[in-house]
Amino acid sequence: MRALSRKWSSRRPALLAAVLLGAAMLVHTFAIAAPARAAVPATAAAAAAEKAAMLPPGTAIASAHGLATDAGFEIIRAGGNAFDAAVAVSAVLSVVEPISSGIGGGGFFLLHEGRSGRDVFVDARETAPAAATPAAYLDAQGELDRDRATNGPWSAGIPGLPAALVHVAAEYGQLPLATSLAPAIRIARQGFPVYERLERGYASRRAVMERYRGTREVFLADGDPPKVGELLVQPDLARTLELLAEHGFDGFYRGEVAAKLLAAVAEEGGQWRADELAGYRVRERAPLAFGYRDWNIVTAPPPSSGGVALAQILQILEGWDLAALDEPTRIHLVSEAMRRAYRDRTIYLGDPDFVKMPLARLTSAGYAAGLRAGIHPQKATPSALLSGEVAPLEDDETTHFSIIDAHGNRASVTQTVNLLYGSGMVAPGTGVLLNNEMDDFALKPGTPNAFGVMGFAANAVAPGKRMLSSMTPTFMTSPDRVVAVGAPGGSRIITQVLLAILAYDAGMSPPQVAALPRFHHQWMPDAISAEPGALAPATVEALQAMGHKVNAGESDWGNLQTVQWDRKAGTLSGGSDPRREGGKAAVEPVSAGD
Ligand code: DON
């Protein structure tokens, strides 16, 4: 048995811990303005000033953990751009938020290059191992084996996030990967203070996590789980990140780390092959883009369902002046649009490398107009089938961060290990907590997954296939404003981003958008879910009178992180979801490359 890697702080509520904790627990939201510019007569100076006005006055970063946001600024100050910062923020989140994401998982990086104006979507979604046939997930009665689907080696797809870090640094960054990974390596080695979400999440997954030797080695100290204020030190994860920094792709997908991952999966009864790791590739895809009122929306294409759903919902809603409607009617119409988009998600969407999807039709204005015509202005449309199951609440799993730098580069990144602490299984000697993303496949067609969403053939499991996602990293631009936004929340990610778009369109600021109460409809179960206080009692009654089932007052969900550049005002600002402790949105008047 290895020495315990977690250090107690019971005798020494270490100064470092206190400082880090203080930094991490503060939720900052503020804005900076461009420095006042003196009138300059010279043409060259005037041109320079004009160009400066076209660029953000610094960098804005919003993420779910203060240490990750700070690491992003550290890298910008070291001469990096938004993409180097994205690598740093992503890697630090993998260290300090194992509850949500990690290098044993995957994610989507939506990037915008300021200079060229190009948008690209880096798909680092996990892939299914060949052994993961549909039959492998059924129990003796032919029912979905939920334990296999969500816990341990069979629930894990081949990780994509390490490949994304290597790819984004090499293709878009200005700094060596080793520089951008340095903050994550340092924090993994020195430790960070355990916070409440981590402790609470561990308690809810404890029974599963402690099945696995590697997990016990990382998270238990003298047999006890992590407690608030202690330092969580992860030397194996530091070493794995170092190997990634030194050897790039091969540092994770071949050699020592790969061998340990394969051995761990085999030890726990799973089946991964060396060529499945070595053969993993990120995919660069064209983002999905469409217009909504004054906004150009650039967002996630399949294998995310988010962009398609947003395109449908927003184009349906464009037929009404939402601001002019009373609240019950507005929520009724938005819910009906959500219902229709989630129905199509269920039927049509999957991995574009494997399935043909009618994307042009699904995202067309004409199709949206047809759907809109089927919405009764005052009556709920019953969903075609009623699953009878209430969708579980989502909390802290998955994480999003948003960055805009002084060159107008931007990154909107959502990354995940799926459910709390993913599969619960750490591969011994690597510090890598494996995801449980396989549950995002329709492992048994028509059977809802952990988010209460189901699927059919388009999202059936197949070797090398990517499971359908709801992660929706998004940019929105108008003549005046540029926004990056995204959130965790499983199937509720899409509707959070939708409500954020509607809120920005209504003129709200990033902190207001992050705090906005949420509601959600996902076709099945056939009900509107709402956070406490999101709907006034009179609105709930009015919706019920229209035929809606309303689950008002569910616990809250999401952890939205957003930044905005107001081109007209020359300001940057950010908003970090006030529902969760530890997030940080901040702005620094520094230029990449300064
Ligand atoms: O890709 C997806 O849609 C899910 N695996 C995301 C999971 C998630 O957001 C969990 N959140 N609370």
Side-chain angles (χ1 to χ4, degrees):
M1 188 82 155
R2 286 174 47 247
L4 296 173
S5 60
R6 190 158 57 79
K7 291 185 189 148
W8 294 103
S9 60
S10 51
R11 285 241 212 96
R12 47 178 192 106
L15 184 60
L16 171 68
V19 170
L20 290 175
L21 188 65
M25 298 307 148
L26 274 176
V27 178
H28 297 284
T29 46
F30 61 91
I32 62 160
R37 292 185 177 84
V40 272
T43 323
E50 168 81 358
K51 185 162 178 256
M54 300 298 292
L55 292 172
T59 299
I61 303 178
S63 89
H65 200 291
L67 290 175
T69 299
D70 293 347
F73 286 116
E74 179 182 329
I75 292 304
I76 293 282
R77 276 183 239 116
N81 60 17
F83 313 123
D84 299 301
V87 169
V89 174
S90 168
V92 171
L93 288 170
S94 286
V95 172
V96 301
E97 250 200 325
I99 194 173
S100 302
S101 77
I103 58 169
F108 297 140
F109 286 61
L110 179 65
L111 309 177
H112 172 88
E113 258 185 342
R115 200 176 15 192
S116 65
R118 179 173 164 242
D119 294 304
V120 65
F121 182 78
V122 178
D123 167 1
R125 189 69 164 160
E126 300 90 331
T127 53
T133 59
Y137 292 89
L138 301 182
D139 64 18
Q141 285 71 47
E143 295 303 321
L144 179 61
D145 182 339
R146 292 195 185 273
D147 189 63
R148 264 204 166 192
T150 52
N151 302 322
W154 286 90
S155 69
I158 304 295
L161 201 63
L165 300 177
V166 174
H167 181 82
V168 170
E171 296 297 320
Y172 302 101
Q174 298 179 167
L175 299 177
L177 179 62
T179 306
S180 301
L181 290 183
I185 295 168
R186 189 181 67 225
I187 294 167
R189 185 153 286 130
Q190 294 178 352
F192 69 93
V194 172
Y195 46 96
E196 211 260 328
R197 287 194 295 136
L198 210 71
E199 179 182 321
R200 187 165 28 89
Y202 188 92
S204 74
R205 289 285 274 156
R206 183 171 184 180
V208 168
M209 296 181 71
E210 293 181 14
R211 289 181 195 168
Y212 305 107
R213 179 166 67 91
T215 312
R216 294 194 298 269
E217 285 172 2
V218 171
F219 288 100
L220 297 185
D222 292 338
D224 290 331
K227 287 207 182 54
V228 171
E230 295 170 1
L231 284 186
L232 183 64
V233 182
Q234 301 171 83
D236 288 341
L237 183 57
R239 178 75 192 130
T240 297
L241 287 165
E242 265 169 2
L243 289 169
L244 188 67
E246 270 170 45
H247 304 294
F249 181 91
D250 287 357
F252 184 91
Y253 291 91
R254 292 193 176 93
E256 182 187 325
V257 173
K260 285 181 181 163
L261 294 175
L262 293 172
V265 167
E267 180 184 330
E268 299 297 346
Q271 293 174 36
W272 281 8
R273 296 190 323 232
D275 64 313
E276 288 169 339
L277 280 171
Y280 182 86
R281 296 290 178 270
V282 297
R283 295 257 188 273
E284 284 212 349
R285 305 188 190 277
L288 209 142
F290 58 92
Y292 172 67
R293 290 164 50 90
D294 279 350
W295 297 92
N296 184 35
I297 311 287
V298 175
T299 183
S304 171
S305 55
V308 175
L310 282 184
Q312 285 186 237
I313 297 170
L314 287 166
Q315 290 182 108
I316 292 172
L317 296 179
E318 219 168 0
W320 294 291
D321 179 2
L322 294 179
L325 298 173
D326 61 73
E327 186 179 69
T329 306
R330 188 171 56 78
I331 289 175
H332 162 65
L333 295 176
V334 174
S335 301
E336 290 300 323
M338 290 174 176
R339 181 203 305 276
R340 283 154 178 79
Y342 276 84
R343 176 195 169 278
D344 284 352
R345 175 198 199 278
T346 309
I347 309 290
Y348 294 113
L349 301 185
D351 181 347
D353 296 339
F354 282 73
V355 286
K356 288 217 178 320
M357 292 169 271
L359 292 182
R361 178 167 68 92
L362 291 178
T363 58
S364 70
Y367 181 65
L371 292 178
R372 189 188 315 123
I375 296 177
H376 190 290
Q378 293 294 331
K379 263 199 187 133
T381 312
S383 293
L385 295 162
L386 301 178
S387 73
E389 290 192 32
V390 173
L393 295 177
E394 292 83 38
D395 189 1
D396 297 320
E397 313 104 287
T398 307
T399 196
H400 178 86
F401 61 91
S402 298
I403 303 177
I404 297 177
D405 77 11
H407 293 307
N409 299 314
R410 8 186 226 270
S412 183
V413 179
T414 315
Q415 60 186 47
T416 188
V417 286
N418 195 25
L419 305 177
L420 283 168
Y421 289 99
S423 68
M425 178 182 153
V426 173
T430 67
V432 177
L433 178 68
L434 298 180
N435 67 85
N436 61 353
E437 222 74 56
M438 295 298 286
D439 189 57
D440 276 350
F441 278 117
L443 291 172
K444 182 166 192 255
T447 299
N449 73 358
F451 299 107
V453 287
M454 59 175 138
F456 295 93
N459 192 29
V461 63
K465 191 174 174 184
R466 285 155 149 89
M467 55 297 280
L468 186 64
S469 175
S470 299
M471 293 187 291
T472 314
T474 296
F475 298 137
M476 42 191 302
T477 52
S478 73
D480 293 346
R481 287 186 285 163
V482 172
V483 166
V485 61
S491 55
R492 298 174 187 214
I493 292 173
I494 304 168
T495 51
Q496 285 177 72
V497 174
L498 169 78
L499 296 179
I501 292 172
L502 297 178
Y504 272 119
D505 183 51
M508 287 189 194
S509 67
Q512 289 172 325
V513 169
L516 192 70
R518 296 172 179 145
F519 66 95
H520 170 82
H521 197 303
Q522 61 178 46
W523 180 49
M524 295 222 278
D526 188 353
I528 298 172
S529 300
E531 290 185 321
L535 305 180
T539 300
V540 173
E541 273 174 35
L543 289 166
Q544 285 166 337
M546 292 177 194
H548 288 283
K549 178 160 188 253
V550 185
N551 297 325
E554 289 190 359
S555 58
D556 59 14
W557 61 81
N559 194 359
L560 188 135
Q561 308 292 331
T562 182
V563 292
Q564 173 184 266
W565 169 32
D566 185 329
R567 290 195 260 222
K568 209 162 153 199
T571 56
L572 278 169
S573 54
S576 180
D577 204 318
R579 289 163 183 74
R580 308 283 167 251
E581 61 174 331
K584 180 173 175 180
V587 176
E588 283 192 6
V590 287
S591 304
D594 272 2

